[in-house]
């Protein structure tokens, strides 16, 4: 059973926020919506949640359209997160839990367990506003999963969160996945989600420009780049003095072996090559110029994935 | 209406748990006690102001005459009540010691010659603050008085008024003496006839006093109605904006229909305010039983409030609140920033303030035709109809008609607010009346 979205559309005045989106998210998998700001990710998720009415299209969960009752099976961590700051932590969690159909007693029991697990056992009776930002984020996460939802929606879960909480959420997402939940995740940064998502769609101006697994999308990008850095030595000092820049430029010129497409010189020099064999030649050349500290293949950025998709389209 | 119960319970109980909520019960009680005891409070401060000393100058004969008029027991009583002391003022010979009181000190000089040093002494007295005012007075055979009043600054209108009051009484006394009129005749000339007012329903009691009590009680009730509706609808709007601006609402609305959410908030706030006013009412009731609530000078007992009137008050509380809450919910659904709340709600609040002002007029003329007409307009109904029922004569059919109209318009507004609410509650655009208009016509949505 899964979440299926078909032909979803939504315009705000002249802005086509979502312009015909189809996808299917399956249990035990993490499905990613990727795209730059304004691509239509949040609007799509809000339509699934019933917060925004679609202009067209179908959203089906377990084969049926969602309504207020079945939406209780959804857990949601919004992009712009807020809690009732006047209320106490436990009160808020119990309130949101009962809204999702838990009994107050059960909601209180689960809230206590989750808070304990996140090291917030003592904060149960404190007002939300007295908690640190990081701890409020934990409470927000708990609010999303308290009722053990079958479908969990995280909108930009890694922006605005503390690094410690980011790791925590990654871990919890893996747990949810292992429990067989259907997970929807949006982000504007590929690097933050690539290790997490099983499948993704790339959105641009409300349309899907690419879909598949991260590996498949990567493979489709024809650009191969390596990043190179030498140990800082007398001839390539740390500071970006004119002399240093001249030295980096000199070395970059020396790297221009056949098969190298372009070079961006700098403290970290980025070399675009035709294939990985050329890269080996580049590395050998680099070794002859100094002690190499780093030489690594760069994964395509979201932008490059987009560009590749655009080129494929045209 | 899924989720209604959870939203209602949370909103209601978290308000009741808030200490600020109970503090406002104290504020309501305080406001009522303050407004109904304004006169006592003002008198208290006047009493504490201390004595007003008025220096009197003029020819020794005139000064003597004034002082002897003031010596009359009735005048003495009046001066005491007003905290005024009269003091003869004479020239340098009298200054320095307490001799100022002795009219003989200026004896032997010519009448005009005596005036100059007295004037100087009076000016000095006013300048030093020993005198609050110096009056140079001249008496005429007819009993008329003229004079000049000297005070330190020109801004003290109440002092001038007090001086005038004192001399008016003195002049009246003087004229009566000269004309040979007894106190009865003076009273017949200047006082209103001391009628006793009775009505057919009034029974034994003095109808005029009863009227005063009724006006007093109505005043308190109108004040409470006003505070209740303004407070209730105002809190509703702030609650909505708070949940919206914190984005908490995004966590709530996936599991509740906007309509259920709106109703839960409106009714929770109503419940909160009913509890609050019941608490305030109980405290006021207790206080008034101990005779501490005074109104327009009369001590009165809130427990004498007729029960049917209390029933009407409750009905108008609820309907009036629903009417204004509907407007505020519609407006509140479109506001996402606390700073915008005032801009958006002020016009509506002003309308209700206007209703309050009209109701204050209506207290004195509950059967006037403008009161009658305006009480049919739903925004004014809660306060004006209450005044009419309490003090005027309203036919049963008219009450039913007016209440029905208020109920109908509240229902229509609520239905309309629900539609707007559903469309706009998740919009975060800046507030403007233009956008509100567009939203009303269905041209804007989320
Ligand atoms: N409530 C709204 N009113 C008007 N425009 C909106 C609204 N919500 C989103 N948009 C517009 O729709 C587009 C998509 O926004 P969004 O779904 O938030 O993108 P993303 O989440 O991918 O950053 C943007 O151009 C945004 O400005
Ligand atoms: Mg977004």
């Amino acid at each position: 059973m899964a979440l299926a979205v078909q032909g979803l559309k939504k315009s705000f005045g002249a802005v086509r926020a979502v312009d015909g989106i189809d996808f299917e998210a399956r249990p035990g998998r993490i499905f990613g919506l990727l795209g730059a700001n304004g691509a239509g990710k949040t609007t799509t998720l809000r339509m699934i949640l019933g917060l925004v009415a679609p202009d067209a299209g179908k959203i089906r969960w377990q084969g049926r359209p969602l309504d207020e009752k079945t939406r209780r099976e959804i857990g949601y961590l919004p992009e712009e997160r807020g809690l009732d700051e006047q209320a106490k932590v436990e009160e808020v969690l119990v309130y949101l839990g009962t809204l999702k159909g838990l009994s107050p007693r059960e909601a209180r029991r689960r809230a206590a367990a989750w808070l304990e697990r996140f090291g917030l056992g003592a904060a149960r009776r404190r007002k939300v506003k007295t908690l640190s930002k990081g701890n409020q984020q934990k409470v927000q996460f708990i609010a999303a999963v308290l009722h053990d939802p079958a479908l969990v929606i995280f909108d930009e879960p890694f922006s605005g969160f503390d690094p410690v909480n980011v790791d925590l959420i990654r871990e919890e997402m893996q747990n949810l996945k292992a429990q067989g939940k259907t997970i929807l995740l949006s982000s504007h940064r590929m690097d933050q989600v690539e290790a997490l998502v099983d499948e993704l769609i790339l959105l641009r101006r409300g349309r899907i420009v690419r879909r598949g697994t991260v590996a498949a999308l990567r493979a489709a990008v024809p650009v191969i780049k390596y990043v190179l850095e030498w140990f800082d030595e007398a001839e390539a000092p740390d500071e970006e003095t004119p002399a240093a820049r001249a030295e980096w430029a000199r070395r970059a010129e020396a790297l221009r072996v056949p098969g190298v497409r372009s070079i961006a010189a700098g403290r970290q020099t980025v070399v675009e090559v035709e294939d990985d064999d050329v890269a080996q030649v580049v590395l050998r050349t680099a070794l002859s110029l100094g002690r190499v500290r780093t030489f690594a293949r760069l994964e395509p950025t979201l932008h490059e994935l987009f560009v590749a998709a655009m080129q494929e389209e045209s | 209406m899924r989720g209604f119960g959870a939203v209602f319970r949370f909103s209601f109980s978290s308000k009741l748990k808030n200490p600020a909520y109970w503090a406002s019960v104290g504020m309501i009680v305080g406001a009522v006690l303050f407004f109904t005891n304004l006169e006592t409070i003002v008198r208290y401060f006047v009493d504490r102001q201390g004595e007003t000393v008025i220096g009197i100058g003029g020819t020794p004969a005139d000064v003597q005459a004034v002082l002897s008029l003031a010596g009359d027991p009735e005048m003495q009583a009046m001066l005491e009540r007003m905290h005024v002391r009269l003091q003869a003022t004479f020239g340098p010979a009298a200054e320095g010691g307490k001799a100022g009181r002795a009219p003989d000190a200026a004896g032997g000089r010519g009448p005009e010659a005596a005036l100059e040093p007295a004037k100087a002494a009076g000016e000095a007295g006013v300048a030093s603050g020993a005198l609050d005012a110096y009056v140079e007075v001249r008496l005429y055979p007819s009993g008329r008085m003229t004079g000049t009043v000297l005070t330190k600054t020109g801004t003290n209108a109440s002092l001038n008024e007090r001086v005038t009051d004192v001399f008016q009484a003195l002049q009246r006394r003087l004229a009566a003496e000269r004309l040979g009129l007894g106190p009865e005749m003076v009273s017949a000339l200047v006082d209103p006839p001391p009628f006793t007012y009775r009505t057919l329903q009034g029974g034994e009691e003095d109808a005029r006093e009863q009227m005063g009590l009724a006006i007093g009680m109505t005043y308190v009730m109108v004040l409470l109605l006003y505070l209740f509706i303004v407070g209730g609808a105002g809190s509703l709007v702030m609650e909505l904006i708070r949940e919206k601006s914190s984005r908490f609402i995004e966590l709530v609305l996936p599991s509740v229909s906007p309509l259920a959410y709106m109703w839960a908030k409106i009714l929770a706030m109503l419940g909160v305010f009913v509890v609050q006013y019941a608490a305030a009412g109980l405290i006021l009731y207790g206080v008034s039983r101990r005779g501490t609530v005074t109104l327009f000078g009369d001590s009165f007992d809130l427990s004498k409030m007729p029960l049917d009137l209390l029933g009407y008050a409750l009905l108008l509380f609820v309907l009036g609140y629903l009417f204004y809450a509907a407007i505020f919910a519609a407006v509140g659904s479109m506001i996402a920033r606390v700073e915008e709340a005032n801009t958006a709600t002020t016009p509506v609040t002003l309308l209700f303030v206007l209703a309050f002002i009209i109701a204050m007029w209506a207290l004195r003329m509950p059967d006037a035709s403008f009161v009658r007409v305006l009480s049919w307009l739903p925004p004014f109904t809660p306060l004006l109809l209450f005044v009419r029922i309490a003090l005027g004569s309203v036919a049963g059919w008219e009450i039913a008609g007016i209440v029905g109209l208020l109920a109908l318009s509240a229902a229509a507004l609520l239905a309309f607010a629900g539609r707007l609410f559903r469309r706009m509650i998740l919009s975060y655009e800046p507030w403007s009346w233009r956008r509100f208009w567009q939203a009303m016509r269905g041209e804007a949505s989320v």
Side-chain angles (χ1 to χ4, degrees):
Chain A
M1 284 297 144
L3 177 79
V5 168
Q6 270 175 17
L8 205 57
K9 288 190 182 182
K10 178 71 187 180
S11 298
F12 297 106
V15 181
R16 288 192 184 170
V18 175
D19 196 11
I21 285 186
D22 309 90
F23 67 84
E24 190 171 326
R26 280 182 290 270
R29 317 254 288 161
I30 300 181
F31 190 91
L33 284 80
L34 268 102
N37 282 325
K41 306 179 296 289
T42 299
T43 305
T44 303
L45 298 179
R46 284 176 150 204
M47 284 191 276
I48 296 169
L49 286 154
L51 293 171
V52 170
D55 293 340
K58 282 197 195 122
I59 300 165
R60 288 175 172 271
W61 167 244
Q62 322 280 42
R64 281 190 312 269
L66 281 158
D67 57 25
E68 266 139 34
K69 182 161 183 280
T70 45
R71 283 204 182 94
R72 290 176 164 195
E73 293 166 36
I74 307 180
Y76 176 41
L77 184 69
E79 177 177 15
E80 289 185 73
R81 294 174 273 267
L83 290 169
D84 188 332
E85 302 214 321
Q86 300 297 324
K88 301 204 171 88
V89 171
E90 185 183 55
E91 265 170 16
V92 172
L93 289 175
V94 169
Y95 171 42
L96 294 172
T98 50
L99 270 182
K100 304 281 184 191
L102 294 180
S103 72
R105 215 160 140 244
E106 178 62 13
R108 201 164 294 121
R109 196 187 61 73
R110 292 193 192 184
W114 272 102
L115 288 168
E116 208 58 59
R117 177 161 165 186
F118 282 179
L120 286 173
R124 215 152 52 96
R125 297 201 181 281
R126 280 173 50 192
K127 280 196 179 178
V128 171
K129 66 174 173 197
T130 65
L131 262 53
S132 69
K133 270 274 164 292
N135 283 341
Q136 286 190 21
Q137 290 166 356
K138 287 181 184 168
V139 176
Q140 281 151 353
F141 179 86
I142 296 174
V145 297
L146 186 73
H147 59 295
D148 197 22
L151 170 62
V152 203
I153 296 179
F154 298 99
D155 196 359
E156 302 275 359
F158 303 120
S159 56
F161 269 115
D162 293 354
V164 179
N165 283 341
V166 167
D167 289 344
L168 190 73
I169 288 177
R170 282 173 185 279
E171 213 172 288
E172 292 297 338
M173 264 184 216
Q174 297 287 12
N175 285 343
L176 292 169
K177 178 180 165 179
Q179 289 164 28
K181 314 288 188 202
T182 306
I183 299 167
L184 230 55
L185 164 63
S186 89
S187 177
H188 65 283
R189 284 180 56 180
M190 186 71 157
D191 56 329
Q192 282 184 330
V193 297
E194 58 193 353
L196 215 52
V197 298
D198 299 299
E199 202 181 332
L200 63 89
I201 52 176
L202 273 184
L203 295 177
R204 206 178 91 100
R205 294 198 193 135
R207 290 168 166 276
I208 297 177
V209 293
R210 217 92 176 71
R211 67 169 79 227
T213 62
V214 176
L217 288 181
R218 286 251 160 87
V221 176
V223 182
I224 302 172
K225 283 183 179 171
Y226 280 80
V227 64
L228 166 68
E229 192 182 351
W230 285 277
F231 277 104
D232 303 321
E233 280 158 9
E235 55 273 49
D238 202 15
E239 302 93 67
E240 275 205 26
T241 57
R245 273 202 295 276
E247 172 61 16
W248 290 329
R250 189 187 67 76
R251 291 182 179 184
E253 273 320 303
L255 290 178
R256 219 174 263 286
V257 296
V260 168
R261 283 188 177 156
S262 68
I263 297 182
R267 225 173 88 70
Q268 292 192 317
T269 300
V270 176
V271 187
E272 188 186 338
V273 292
E274 258 162 29
D275 56 43
D276 293 310
D277 291 336
V278 176
Q280 300 307 311
V281 182
V282 171
L283 175 59
R284 272 196 292 276
T285 318
L287 284 166
S288 71
L289 293 168
R291 293 170 61 218
V292 170
R293 180 192 180 112
T294 325
F295 187 72
R297 186 169 158 155
L298 278 181
E299 298 301 346
T301 63
L302 194 54
H303 176 71
E304 284 161 341
L305 287 179
F306 277 131
V307 172
M310 293 293 107
Q311 279 167 352
E312 200 162 291
E313 256 180 30
S314 60
Chain B
M1 281 298 183
R2 192 172 290 283
F4 171 89
V7 179
F8 180 89
R9 235 175 300 128
F10 176 74
S11 310
F12 184 72
S13 71
S14 62
K15 275 274 175 306
L16 288 195
K17 281 183 205 152
N18 193 339
Y21 171 79
W22 294 104
S24 58
V25 172
M27 268 157 57
I28 296 163
V29 171
V32 171
L33 289 181
F34 179 79
F35 280 113
T36 54
N37 288 283
L38 209 50
E39 211 163 294
T40 322
I41 293 167
V42 168
R43 189 166 318 133
Y44 173 79
F45 282 106
V46 167
D47 286 355
R48 303 225 338 175
Q49 219 170 38
E51 209 174 35
T52 306
V53 184
I54 302 175
I56 298 170
T59 65
D62 284 355
V63 173
Q64 187 63 59
V66 168
L67 288 182
S68 81
L69 283 171
D72 169 90
E74 222 173 285
M75 273 309 296
Q76 281 289 318
M78 173 184 162
L79 289 172
E80 212 155 282
R81 212 170 44 245
M82 292 175 69
H83 290 264
V84 169
R85 185 157 60 82
L86 299 181
Q87 183 180 308
T89 309
F90 297 98
E95 246 188 350
K98 287 191 166 189
R101 269 149 221 261
D104 294 344
R109 299 192 201 171
E112 290 305 318
L115 289 183
E116 285 312 310
K119 187 183 250 167
E123 274 173 17
V126 170
S128 74
L131 299 178
D132 293 289
Y134 169 69
V135 183
E136 195 178 281
V137 73
R138 188 154 175 199
L139 308 189
Y140 294 87
S142 65
R144 205 163 61 84
M145 291 181 184
T146 60
T148 324
V149 180
L150 176 75
T151 53
K152 208 168 194 168
T153 59
T155 49
N156 198 337
S158 89
L159 177 59
N160 288 345
E161 235 166 71
R162 227 167 312 153
V163 171
T164 308
D165 284 350
V166 167
F167 279 85
Q168 187 182 357
L170 289 170
Q171 175 178 266
R172 190 179 297 161
R173 229 150 191 102
L174 183 65
E177 237 167 55
R178 298 270 155 100
L179 291 169
L181 302 176
E184 299 266 298
M185 291 163 102
V186 174
S187 171
L189 272 175
V190 298
D191 292 338
F195 283 163
T196 303
Y197 295 83
R198 282 182 58 232
T199 63
L200 286 177
Q201 312 121 346
E204 303 281 294
E205 283 188 59
D206 180 0
R208 175 167 259 214
E209 188 176 308
Q210 211 182 32
M211 189 66 185
L213 291 190
I215 289 181
M217 277 195 242
T218 312
Y219 174 72
V220 173
M221 292 307 290
V222 167
L223 189 68
L224 285 176
L225 264 171
Y226 172 78
L227 291 175
F228 177 89
I229 295 174
V230 157
S235 311
L236 175 72
V237 121
M238 289 319 289
E239 172 93 354
L240 291 177
I241 296 174
R242 206 165 56 79
E243 295 211 344
K244 230 181 129 164
S245 64
S246 73
R247 308 276 172 153
F248 184 53
I249 198 164
E250 308 226 344
L251 291 178
V252 177
L253 282 183
S255 346
V256 193
S257 79
L259 210 59
Y261 175 83
M262 183 186 91
W263 273 103
K265 286 291 176 193
I266 288 179
L267 293 182
M269 217 46 74
L270 177 66
V272 159
F273 270 71
V274 165
V275 170
Q276 193 167 59
Y277 278 73
L282 279 178
I283 296 174
L284 283 172
Y285 175 77
V287 172
S288 76
R289 289 296 294 259
R290 311 176 86 211
T292 15
V293 178
T294 47
L295 276 167
F296 305 121
D298 296 305
S299 177
F300 96 149
D301 190 347
L302 263 177
S303 63
K304 282 191 191 140
M305 165 77 68
L307 270 184
D308 59 338
L309 209 53
L310 217 55
Y312 280 122
L314 195 66
L315 180 70
L316 292 170
F317 262 20
V318 172
L319 290 180
Y321 166 76
L322 287 178
F323 180 88
Y324 280 94
I327 301 178
F328 275 27
V331 170
S333 74
M334 291 190 56
I335 305 177
R337 273 164 287 270
V338 179
E339 311 87 78
E340 290 173 354
N342 276 338
T343 333
T345 56
T346 302
V348 188
T349 313
L350 282 183
L351 186 69
F352 199 51
V353 169
L354 185 65
F356 183 71
I357 293 169
I358 296 172
M360 289 293 102
W361 285 334
L363 285 179
R364 296 281 166 197
M365 38 185 151
D367 288 324
S369 56
F370 81 95
V371 177
R372 210 177 148 176
V373 171
L374 289 180
S375 70
W376 277 88
L377 298 182
F380 298 136
T381 297
L383 301 186
L384 291 188
L385 182 61
F386 184 78
V387 173
R388 289 188 63 195
I389 294 174
L391 301 175
S393 52
V394 206
W397 66 264
E398 208 185 341
I399 297 181
I402 296 175
V403 168
L405 187 63
L406 176 62
L408 268 182
S409 49
L413 274 177
L414 282 163
F416 163 76
R419 287 221 325 269
L420 201 70
F421 205 86
R422 196 160 33 204
R423 279 210 311 273
M424 306 311 295
I425 187 67
L426 284 164
S427 79
Y428 293 96
E429 308 231 325
W431 161 266
S432 73
W433 284 101
R434 206 182 124 240
R435 215 171 108 72
F436 185 66
W437 177 243
Q438 287 174 345
M440 282 203 314
R441 298 167 32 136
E443 287 165 10
S445 70
V446 174

